[in-house]
Amino acid sequence: MRVLIALLSFAFVLPGCTETMDRALDAKEAETASIAGYGEIRTYLDARLDEAPKDIDWEPATKRDRVDMLMISGGGAFSVGVLSAWSATKTRPRFDIVTGVSTGALIAPFAFLGSAYDDTLVHLYTSGVAEELASSKRASGLIGPSLLKADPLRRMIEQFITPAILRQVAAEHCKGRRLLVLTTNLDTQRAVVWNMGAIAASGRPDALRLFQDIMVASASIPGVYPAVMIKAESGGHRFEEMHSDGGSASQVLMLPQALLTSSHRLGPAKRTAVNFYVIVNNALMPEFAKTPDTTRFVIARAFSIFVKSQTQSALTALYNYSKLTGAHFHLASIDVQVPYSMLDPFNTQYMCAVYSLGYAELMAGTLWRDSPVFR
């Protein structure tokens, strides 16, 4: 969220469009599209309960008496600190479900695979690697497809999401664990939930590329990075869908909206304890700042208020669902105002500061809240 707000402060992004690929003919074709050869590897955040995938690959298959679900928002370094400290205390659960949105989608596969990848995440978020993501501005500026080129982001994902990582995700999926990532289909205005484990376990030769494409799409801030085109088909017609940042629809991938408004439990049996762990890599409290009275800063500030309010509403819905179904709610977010420059969104010093904050608060036992408090 902070990265988007920062980059919005550079320019007021005007709508641009270059339509050179074959796209869905109409809304009906777009809504019935699927990814050829993969079966039910995705659903929609706004899907009705009767529209949920029937494939068993979606249900967490735990043999324990509990289901642990980890949800990671956009941002990143704060949650990396939390995960590292959690590993150090040897109390970190082996999560049955892990979800990621936006840059949280970059963390999710490594959080899913466990503590062995803590060092990888620390390197990604505190070594200065992230600063390279804003290093390739387009000469076309506002009239092109995006302010920045996708090359650094894609190179980073291709470097760290390797065939070996894909095989490990597939193996964990086959054990009944689930890894989910959110993108936004810009044409249909719907949030798409991707079953990344099912993709990894598909055995298809293009599975790694699709896995990487979805991660790039989820982290591609609209207008800042170009959208990702994903091949789909409907009724024998093949076309491409335009996918972008999942954070456009929801800052945290919790549960399908229909489930949040129902009394259906997540666990396979009534005796199963359900634990929701949500890590929000941003502050949910009001943050004072003197806003310059110029168009770009006013727009960026207003957008930050909108995103914060959106996140608060989603967390309130999950909390109410938890109370209704007897699940345990655990929330972590940045609870102090860390100095931050809107002109330097990937600043390594800031990343290290929020990493240290997450680490220290978990080690001190002051991190988790059992209800959504926003002041």
Side-chain angles (χ1 to χ4, degrees):
M1 178 178 74
R2 290 179 185 268
V3 173
L4 174 55
I5 294 163
L7 291 169
L8 279 174
S9 72
F10 293 145
F12 179 57
V13 182
L14 300 175
C17 181
T18 55
E19 195 163 342
T20 59
M21 309 296 288
D22 195 18
R23 307 287 282 279
L25 298 174
D26 52 33
K28 182 178 180 181
E29 184 170 74
E31 295 293 347
T32 57
S34 61
I35 310 301
Y38 280 94
E40 291 187 308
I41 59 166
R42 65 182 188 175
T43 186
Y44 294 97
L45 197 62
D46 62 355
R48 300 190 308 267
L49 287 177
D50 60 353
E51 295 176 325
K54 306 301 186 294
D55 197 311
I56 60 172
D57 277 353
W58 283 84
E59 288 287 336
T62 179
K63 295 181 179 180
R64 304 178 301 155
D65 58 355
R66 57 189 282 181
V67 173
D68 294 319
M69 180 174 180
L70 174 66
M71 295 154 268
I72 306 171
S73 82
F78 176 74
S79 63
V80 172
V82 171
L83 291 170
S84 297
W86 216 345
S87 297
T89 64
K90 302 188 184 305
T91 59
R92 178 171 158 181
R94 180 176 177 271
F95 297 104
D96 302 285
I97 306 171
V98 176
T99 75
V101 176
S102 195
T103 48
L106 308 183
I107 298 172
F110 301 108
F112 179 73
L113 293 177
S115 302
Y117 287 93
D118 287 351
D119 289 346
T120 299
L121 289 174
V122 173
H123 172 73
L124 282 172
Y125 281 88
T126 66
S127 69
V129 171
E131 293 193 37
E132 299 176 12
L133 298 182
S135 64
S136 58
K137 295 181 175 62
R138 289 184 181 273
S140 56
L142 300 179
I143 61 174
S146 61
L147 292 176
L148 302 179
K149 296 179 181 179
D151 300 1
L153 176 61
R154 181 169 287 279
R155 280 198 302 268
M156 186 178 76
I157 288 173
E158 290 178 350
Q159 177 184 353
F160 289 96
I161 301 299
T162 62
I165 293 292
L166 195 76
R167 289 193 295 271
Q168 290 176 58
V169 170
E172 294 304 314
H173 177 80
C174 291
K175 295 175 185 177
R177 302 175 64 220
R178 304 293 174 246
L179 172 63
L180 309 175
V181 164
L182 193 71
T183 67
T184 301
N185 184 323
L186 295 179
D187 292 330
T188 63
Q189 292 189 325
R190 298 185 76 185
V192 183
V193 183
W194 297 87
N195 189 330
M196 304 298 279
I199 294 170
S202 68
R204 292 186 56 86
D206 57 348
L208 178 61
R209 178 68 180 192
L210 178 59
F211 195 104
Q212 294 169 339
D213 282 348
I214 292 165
M215 290 187 63
V216 173
S218 186
S220 293
I221 303 163
V224 177
Y225 291 106
V228 176
M229 308 306 294
I230 294 179
K231 292 180 173 61
E233 68 173 17
S234 179
H237 177 217
R238 296 193 173 191
F239 52 89
E240 290 189 312
E241 301 173 336
M242 180 179 281
H243 286 261
S244 191
D245 186 3
S248 300
S250 179
Q251 292 298 305
V252 184
L253 173 50
M254 299 179 186
L255 297 170
Q257 294 163 355
L259 192 59
L260 286 176
T261 57
S262 75
S263 58
H264 290 265
R265 290 175 52 86
L266 184 64
K270 288 187 177 181
R271 69 179 183 279
T272 303
V274 177
N275 293 290
F276 294 132
Y277 295 94
V278 187
I279 306 178
V280 178
N281 289 291
N282 296 289
L284 297 171
M285 62 189 184
E287 296 174 281
F288 176 80
K290 292 182 179 179
T291 306
D293 191 13
T294 60
T295 300
R296 60 181 183 174
F297 282 106
V298 169
I299 289 173
R301 186 66 170 173
F303 186 80
S304 73
I305 296 169
F306 163 74
V307 170
K308 189 170 293 193
S309 176
Q310 178 199 55
T311 307
Q312 291 171 350
S313 296
L315 289 167
T316 300
L318 181 64
Y319 174 73
N320 289 336
Y321 174 81
S322 301
K323 298 293 286 184
L324 180 65
T325 62
H328 303 286
F329 178 91
H330 311 275
L331 171 64
S333 64
I334 296 174
D335 57 3
V336 298
Q337 195 159 345
V338 181
Y340 179 80
S341 171
M342 296 181 72
L343 301 178
D344 192 8
F346 298 105
N347 181 272
T348 302
Q349 186 175 352
Y350 170 78
M351 297 284 190
C352 290
V354 294
Y355 166 86
S356 298
L357 179 66
Y359 193 101
E361 289 196 350
L362 189 136
M363 295 299 284
T366 59
L367 180 76
W368 299 110
R369 296 179 178 177
D370 59 8
S371 63
V373 179
F374 307 132
R375 290 290 299 275

